Amino acid sequence: QVDIISAPPPREFNRLKTMPNVAGASRPTLGGSLLMFTNNLKAPFDDVNFRKALACATDRKTIADKVYYGLLDPTGGLAPPRGWWYNPEADKEIAFDLERAKQFLAKSKYPNGAEIDISIQAEPYLLDTKDAAIFLQAQLAKIGIKLNLKVYEFSVLIQQIARGEHQMAMQVYMSPGEPTYTIANTVMPGQFLSKSTGYDNAELNALMSAAFAESDQAKLKDIYGKMQMILARDAPIGVLGFVHASNLWRQGVQDFKVNQALTMSV
């Protein structure tokens, strides 16, 4: 009954795109990241060891394979694995490791775990975050963290995140797909989503300034790599991976391209 579906359920996507008179396609994004906005100014995210416990307790590969059926490139860092600026060493620092997660939690101010409210979006954008949140709820329970899911409309959720009113929020966040945009917007002061994390690091800010003044790609890769290591060390924001956009459409729809943003070209 429809011409285009913007975010088909990943578990059904491969089946649906082979139906008669239906076409479907997907493509990876370099800028679409599945983020967990952890408010560093609110407990328990005011403790770096707790944040790293959360990062290491997150099984991103299973989420990518079993929840999103390959429509997510798993990584713990704010750089897509397909990007030339990706630093695998930073990713390893906060890779899934339940024993390390327990060790970080034991060193934190909250060694017995904590109860967290996670705000998620009601309607899917590129991917449905509820699926990942439910999986994460079960994963974190293994180290004593209780996750309470709170569902909001997009217009309410984005304002909550921008004002820093959340404790933790999960959302697919789209950027132009270059190295600085998401970092600048979420973990540097004075930006639209600065209050989503409340994080401010002078070393990171200086590296960003250096990046804006540099044009040599080899030097930029080194700068971006250092930035990713700082973010892995402090874990001010949670990352599950970089998403693939997918659409389904009736074959009567001509010259349609898979959308990667809030708008569609039809």
Side-chain angles (χ1 to χ4, degrees):
Q1 294 179 338
V2 299
D3 291 316
I4 300 168
I5 297 178
S6 64
R11 70 176 70 84
E12 302 287 350
F13 175 64
N14 287 328
R15 180 182 67 84
L16 292 171
K17 71 182 181 181
T18 63
M19 290 177 64
N21 301 314
V22 175
S26 64
R27 61 174 174 166
T29 71
L30 288 179
S33 46
L34 180 49
L35 301 179
M36 297 185 293
F37 297 96
T38 48
N39 193 334
N40 293 205
L41 302 181
K42 290 186 177 181
F45 299 111
D46 57 340
D47 187 285
V48 64
N49 285 307
F50 185 90
R51 297 195 301 267
K52 294 193 80 168
L54 175 72
C56 292
T58 303
D59 187 352
R60 300 170 186 85
K61 187 176 187 310
T62 298
I63 291 173
D65 293 344
K66 304 297 185 183
V67 178
Y68 293 124
Y69 295 82
L71 293 177
L72 182 76
D73 293 333
T75 179
L78 270 179
R82 297 168 185 263
W84 59 263
W85 61 96
Y86 171 72
N87 182 354
E89 293 305 312
D91 199 0
K92 288 179 185 176
E93 175 63 25
I94 45 177
F96 173 61
D97 186 330
L98 216 50
E99 287 308 309
R100 283 190 77 215
K102 292 175 182 177
Q103 291 168 13
F104 280 125
L105 189 66
K107 290 191 292 184
S108 76
K109 293 191 292 184
Y110 312 97
N112 298 317
E115 187 169 343
I116 301 167
D117 289 341
I118 180 170
S119 302
I120 58 177
Q121 189 168 313
E123 63 277 10
Y125 168 51
L126 298 183
L127 294 176
D128 192 341
T129 56
K130 290 194 293 292
D131 295 338
I134 290 168
F135 179 87
L136 191 66
Q137 188 179 49
Q139 282 291 115
L140 296 183
K142 295 177 181 178
I143 62 169
I145 297 175
K146 183 181 179 183
L147 210 56
N148 302 315
L149 276 57
K150 306 289 185 179
V151 182
Y152 299 92
E153 295 295 318
F154 169 76
S155 58
V156 175
L157 178 60
I158 192 64
Q159 288 302 317
Q160 186 185 94
I161 295 170
R163 294 170 183 160
E165 296 168 350
H166 63 299
Q167 188 178 18
M168 178 178 175
M170 181 185 290
Q171 189 179 38
V172 175
Y173 178 80
M174 179 56 76
S175 82
E178 59 83 54
T180 63
Y181 187 92
T182 303
I183 293 175
N185 209 16
T186 60
V187 293
M188 296 184 69
Q191 305 300 313
F192 172 56
L193 292 180
S194 297
K195 292 180 181 178
S196 70
T197 61
Y199 178 75
D200 187 1
N201 181 289
E203 186 182 0
L204 182 75
N205 299 342
L207 285 167
M208 184 66 82
S209 296
F212 287 156
E214 185 56 70
S215 58
D216 181 84
Q217 184 167 305
K219 292 178 181 177
L220 282 169
K221 185 171 183 177
D222 179 63
I223 293 171
Y224 296 143
K226 290 176 180 175
M227 292 170 74
Q228 290 167 55
M229 286 303 300
I230 292 171
L231 294 174
R233 180 192 70 203
D234 290 354
I237 187 170
V239 185
L240 295 177
F242 282 72
V243 307
H244 293 220
S246 63
N247 296 132
L248 296 168
W249 59 93
R250 291 195 175 277
Q251 289 183 344
V253 177
Q254 299 297 313
D255 302 320
F256 179 76
K257 293 183 179 179
V258 176
N259 75 296
Q260 291 187 292
L262 287 170
T263 55
M264 290 185 179
S265 176
V266 296

